[in-house]
Amino acid sequence: MAKISRELIDQVRHSVDIVDVIGQYVQLRPAGKSLMGLCPFHDERTPSFSVDEKKQLFYCFSCHRGGNVFHFLEDLKNEGFLDALREVAAMANIELPAADKTVSRQQVTDPQAQRKQQLIEVHQLAMNLYHHILMNTPAGEPARKYLARRGMSRELIEQFHIGFAPQKHVLKAFLTDKKVDPQLMQQSGLFINGQNGLSDRFSSRVMFPLLDSRGKPVAFAGRLLTKNANLPKYLNSPETLLFQKSTTLFNLDQAKSVARKSGKLYLFEGFMDVISAFGANVHNGVASLGTSLTGEQVEIISRVTNQVNICYDGDRPGQQAIERALKLFEDESQRELQLRVVQLPAGIDPDEYVQQYGGEQFREYLQKNEETPAEFRLRYLRQGVDLSNQNERLNYLNTALTVIAEVNEPLARDMYVGQLASEFNLDRAALNQQLGELLASKPQRLKRLNRRPYQRKQRDGRRLTTGASQQVYQPSAPVGVKLTRLEVAEQLLLHTMLHDPEAWATVVRYPKFRFVTTAFQEIYQVAAKIKAAEPDKELTVDRVMGRLSDQRLASQLSEIESRRGGQVLNDQGITDCLKVITQQQPIEERIRQKKAELAEASAVHNDDLESKLVNELIDLFSQREKLKTEEIG
């Protein structure tokens, strides 16, 4: 079997963000310095599942599972480490060495994953070439002038890797010179296969790379520099093994982390709107790719945020698109999302607004003009309606009440009814009576089946589920239960040792030091082995976690990191904790010794010695409990 090196395992782990992986199964929301969600390992209504993006760890404060990205997948899918490693490597497009099939059927490199990685490399070459032509050659000058007129700074061009495909076809010759397989070139979608063979698909176009959620190029969108009645203004790559329009969102790779922290994501119509918004310091914006929003995109969005602000053009087609998007979110999202609409002035899109009024005013407009779906619809319904005509006014009011009836919050419904009564000088009681009839006649809605994240459907229709065969770890310290003096001391000391080299050096100077709790001692021994193997390299929690194959130990270390956060002991604190642990240790050793002696006395039926040893054990237990229940300073 080909050996997978520790360095390669670490590379795979560092190549993905644990938030992105867990976010596929758990809706995470900002909570202080971490992200919280409903635990996928047990039923709960109040989120207790925490993900620390900085430390790349997860921990559940209720069921006490924890670890890194590998531990999460192992536990979630009840699979082995190698299977989890392969899955993460595939996400990162990292090829692992092939292994003996007798070890695991999933260990052999997936040919499709290999092909995807090769196609990404082709797109990376193309992206670099187009960007170089735009920024550094005379052929790119018309595109540079065009982008400057659009208010595109050099920083934005670099940020989005924008390029230019000149009229003269250059990509095929470039890739051929790089010895790229012609079959791979054909599968990339970057070429057209005609009578004379392959030719560049894009020419005389500004090139906008389309990246996947990990920031890898998978396709392009090209915009013509000059109008041509025979050619489309925008041209996207065709769908390929890498690229599907229905599951791709422009700028998701950059927007998702901002959206998770702010709890809000902006949905724009086009990628020029997203880029202009980015230049205005609105970094949490995404867009679908020249087509209507899809259910798959809705599901992707719902995994990274809990509020979506739909910001489309202010003209009538834009408003119609807003209504379609609202309905799609309401029908397709498997999680509760807070929906808002930001309606721009008629005849202007976000890109034009930024160019006309500047970034600061654009940000202010976004903040001050959020509407609920009901507010938007009540205004949208007025379009083309002559409210001075009695019949049209009555039709509008009847339709408006049906919109209000769909609002779940009683206070919000009452507010909208009050607005109608005030504007049209109507009897509020009459409006409420008709609204009540609508509510009573409305069929009882089936509650959404909020699929638990660990029950998400795979493409083959099977479900991922935490089956009964999985081990359920007993909580080491249930939420709300006060930790003992010894537990606090051991947690604080081990946490400090893993974050402070001087604390580590202080502790290891103590002769025959050991932690009382077996799990802490085992983690300490793993860390000591790492330190001994590479004494000049910094000892980190990430490195220790990466060596813990026992899920129990990984959960214990995650608990320490989650509970202790930034707590690092000073010299006096280290001394205090060492005193607590070393006081406790002799008692534990004596208890183990007395238990062994008691077993021997029982085996030879020495009743007098048995009685004496039992009394001594009771005394030792009493001493131990006294130490445990004392408070640590």
Side-chain angles (χ1 to χ4, degrees):
M1 180 183 72
K3 185 178 180 180
I4 301 176
S5 69
R6 173 55 58 187
E7 291 73 21
L8 183 55
I9 292 172
D10 290 341
Q11 179 191 349
V12 171
R13 188 174 71 255
H14 294 147
S15 65
V16 300
D17 187 338
I18 193 172
V19 175
D20 292 338
V21 177
I22 294 179
Q24 297 178 43
Y25 307 96
V26 181
Q27 185 183 24
L28 299 170
R29 298 180 179 181
K33 294 182 179 180
S34 61
L35 299 163
M36 297 291 293
L38 295 175
C39 181
F41 303 118
H42 75 283
D43 290 326
E44 65 177 6
R45 294 185 178 180
T46 303
S48 61
F49 183 84
S50 170
V51 180
D52 190 319
E53 188 170 17
K54 183 178 180 180
K55 296 179 180 178
Q56 291 292 292
L57 301 176
F58 75 93
Y59 179 69
C60 177
F61 287 92
S62 291
C63 72
H64 298 271
R65 281 179 171 89
N68 59 24
V69 65
F70 298 135
H71 298 116
F72 176 80
L73 291 173
E74 287 177 69
D75 213 9
L76 183 76
K77 299 185 178 182
N78 197 21
E79 63 186 19
F81 169 74
L82 286 173
D83 293 331
L85 175 65
R86 294 284 173 190
E87 185 169 345
V88 177
M91 296 176 192
N93 292 301
I94 294 176
E95 184 176 345
L96 299 181
D100 190 333
K101 291 184 178 180
T102 60
V103 177
S104 170
R105 65 180 178 83
Q106 294 183 6
Q107 287 179 42
V108 180
T109 303
D110 182 0
Q112 188 176 78
Q114 282 184 311
R115 204 60 167 174
K116 283 184 176 180
Q117 177 59 30
Q118 292 169 340
L119 287 170
I120 285 174
E121 291 169 0
V122 169
H123 280 80
Q124 186 74 50
L125 289 170
M127 182 173 73
N128 293 341
L129 173 66
Y130 290 143
H131 185 68
H132 170 75
I133 291 172
L134 172 67
M135 303 302 291
N136 303 307
T137 71
E141 185 175 358
R144 291 196 295 271
K145 290 181 177 178
Y146 163 78
L147 292 171
R149 288 196 302 270
R150 296 293 300 266
M152 193 84 66
S153 66
R154 185 181 183 90
E155 290 75 16
L156 274 180
I157 293 172
E158 297 284 357
Q159 185 74 37
F160 288 90
H161 316 288
I162 299 169
F164 180 64
Q167 184 175 6
K168 181 182 178 182
H169 290 190
V170 296
L171 184 59
K172 181 184 176 184
F174 176 74
L175 294 180
T176 300
D177 186 59
K178 295 289 184 182
K179 296 182 171 50
V180 174
D181 181 3
Q183 186 178 5
L184 192 64
M185 292 165 60
Q186 183 174 345
Q187 293 175 349
S188 70
L190 297 172
F191 301 93
I192 298 172
N193 195 3
Q195 293 180 346
N196 298 321
L198 296 179
S199 61
D200 291 12
R201 180 178 296 275
F202 299 99
S203 65
S204 300
R205 291 180 182 271
V206 177
M207 300 296 288
F208 298 90
L210 306 179
L211 311 182
D212 64 13
S213 62
R214 294 166 292 114
K216 305 294 184 182
V218 295
F220 286 91
R223 189 199 189 281
L224 282 177
L225 279 182
T226 57
K227 290 183 179 180
N228 187 325
N230 299 318
L231 296 173
K233 180 179 177 181
Y234 284 99
L235 178 66
N236 288 345
S237 294
E239 295 203 341
T240 65
L241 182 63
L242 281 183
F243 173 58
Q244 292 81 41
K245 287 184 183 179
S246 63
T247 59
T248 305
L249 287 160
F250 184 77
N251 195 46
L252 180 64
D253 60 306
Q254 298 187 92
K256 61 187 178 184
S257 59
V258 183
R260 285 189 178 117
K261 291 175 183 176
S262 67
K264 181 187 300 184
L265 186 141
Y266 287 96
L267 177 62
F268 297 108
E269 274 193 282
F271 49 82
M272 283 303 298
D273 297 328
V274 172
I275 295 172
S276 291
F278 196 99
N281 287 324
V282 179
H283 296 170
N284 50 335
V286 298
S288 53
L289 303 175
T291 57
S292 297
L293 191 68
T294 67
E296 292 93 336
Q297 291 167 334
V298 165
E299 181 60 22
I300 292 168
I301 289 171
S302 69
R303 291 200 297 264
V304 301
T305 188
N306 59 314
Q307 178 174 328
V308 180
N309 285 12
I310 302 171
C311 186
Y312 285 176
D313 296 358
D315 55 14
R316 186 171 180 82
Q319 292 188 326
Q320 292 171 343
I322 291 172
E323 174 59 27
R324 288 195 299 270
L326 284 173
K327 191 171 190 314
L328 194 64
F329 273 108
E330 291 163 350
D331 292 344
E332 296 292 334
S333 177
Q334 297 299 317
R335 298 176 174 92
E336 291 297 329
L337 282 175
Q338 192 172 39
L339 299 174
R340 293 293 182 265
V341 174
V342 178
Q343 184 70 63
L344 290 171
I348 192 171
D349 61 30
D351 177 40
E352 293 166 338
Y353 193 101
V354 172
Q355 302 311 317
Q356 291 184 28
Y357 302 107
E360 183 177 353
Q361 192 165 331
F362 178 69
R363 293 194 304 275
E364 185 178 343
Y365 188 94
L366 292 181
Q367 293 170 359
K368 291 184 176 180
N369 290 276
E370 289 185 8
E371 294 180 309
T372 65
E375 288 175 312
F376 165 76
R377 282 168 169 149
L378 290 174
R379 185 166 49 77
Y380 177 65
L381 287 170
R382 292 171 176 264
Q383 292 187 359
V385 176
D386 182 3
L387 293 176
S388 65
N389 180 284
Q390 183 172 340
N391 286 333
E392 291 192 36
R393 183 168 67 249
L394 187 59
N395 287 335
Y396 167 74
L397 288 169
N398 284 328
T399 309
L401 285 173
T402 63
V403 170
I404 296 172
E406 296 297 318
V407 177
N408 292 325
E409 299 82 7
L411 284 176
R413 289 200 301 266
D414 187 63
M415 180 186 71
Y416 295 135
V417 167
Q419 290 172 354
L420 287 180
S422 176
E423 180 180 0
F424 293 96
N425 195 26
L426 297 171
D427 180 42
R428 188 164 183 161
L431 289 174
N432 275 322
Q433 180 180 353
Q434 186 165 334
L435 178 63
E437 292 172 358
L438 286 170
L439 291 170
S441 63
K442 186 172 63 173
Q444 182 65 33
R445 289 179 176 268
L446 292 174
K447 290 185 178 180
R448 278 186 184 162
L449 295 175
N450 279 325
R451 285 194 312 240
R452 294 306 302 270
Y454 53 90
Q455 292 179 327
R456 294 181 68 247
K457 287 184 178 179
Q458 297 194 100
R459 289 187 179 180
D460 61 3
R462 293 179 290 113
R463 287 182 181 273
L464 299 175
T465 177
T466 52
S469 62
Q470 283 189 286
Q471 180 181 0
V472 177
Y473 300 102
Q474 294 300 320
S476 56
V479 175
V481 175
K482 191 174 183 179
L483 297 177
T484 67
R485 181 173 182 253
L486 176 64
E487 288 169 332
V488 172
E490 291 193 310
Q491 281 195 4
L492 283 171
L493 185 61
L494 183 56
H495 175 75
T496 300
M497 291 173 68
L498 297 179
H499 289 270
D500 183 356
E502 292 185 7
W504 178 275
T506 298
V507 173
V508 297
R509 283 197 295 267
Y510 274 69
K512 296 182 180 179
F513 171 81
R514 63 178 290 120
F515 287 93
V516 177
T517 304
T518 303
F520 290 120
Q521 179 63 18
E522 291 178 16
I523 295 170
Y524 171 53
Q525 289 173 334
V526 170
K529 288 180 181 178
I530 296 172
K531 190 73 175 173
E534 298 177 298
D536 297 329
K537 193 172 181 180
E538 182 185 6
L539 181 67
T540 64
V541 172
D542 178 62
R543 293 179 66 203
V544 176
M545 184 66 77
R547 304 303 191 274
L548 298 179
S549 57
D550 188 332
Q551 177 70 64
R552 174 180 57 88
L553 298 181
S555 296
Q556 186 71 72
L557 182 54
S558 289
E559 178 180 352
I560 295 170
E561 290 300 303
S562 298
R563 287 186 182 277
R564 297 304 155 200
Q567 284 182 285
V568 177
L569 297 170
N570 57 21
D571 291 344
Q572 185 59 51
I574 293 171
T575 301
D576 290 343
C577 288
L578 282 169
K579 183 179 179 181
V580 171
I581 295 168
T582 53
Q583 281 179 343
Q584 187 82 35
Q585 186 59 45
I587 293 177
E588 296 295 334
E589 291 291 348
R590 290 173 64 192
I591 287 174
R592 279 193 285 270
Q593 182 181 351
K594 294 298 179 184
K595 283 182 176 180
E597 292 175 7
L598 181 60
E600 290 180 8
S602 178
V604 297
H605 304 291
N606 188 335
D607 295 339
D608 291 340
L609 182 56
E610 249 189 287
S611 178
K612 178 177 178 292
L613 291 170
V614 166
N615 288 329
E616 290 177 357
L617 270 172
I618 290 172
D619 183 54
L620 288 171
F621 287 146
S622 177
Q623 292 180 47
R624 183 172 69 177
E625 291 306 309
K626 183 180 178 181
L627 282 174
K628 279 186 176 182
T629 54
E630 291 179 10
E631 291 295 324
I632 186 169

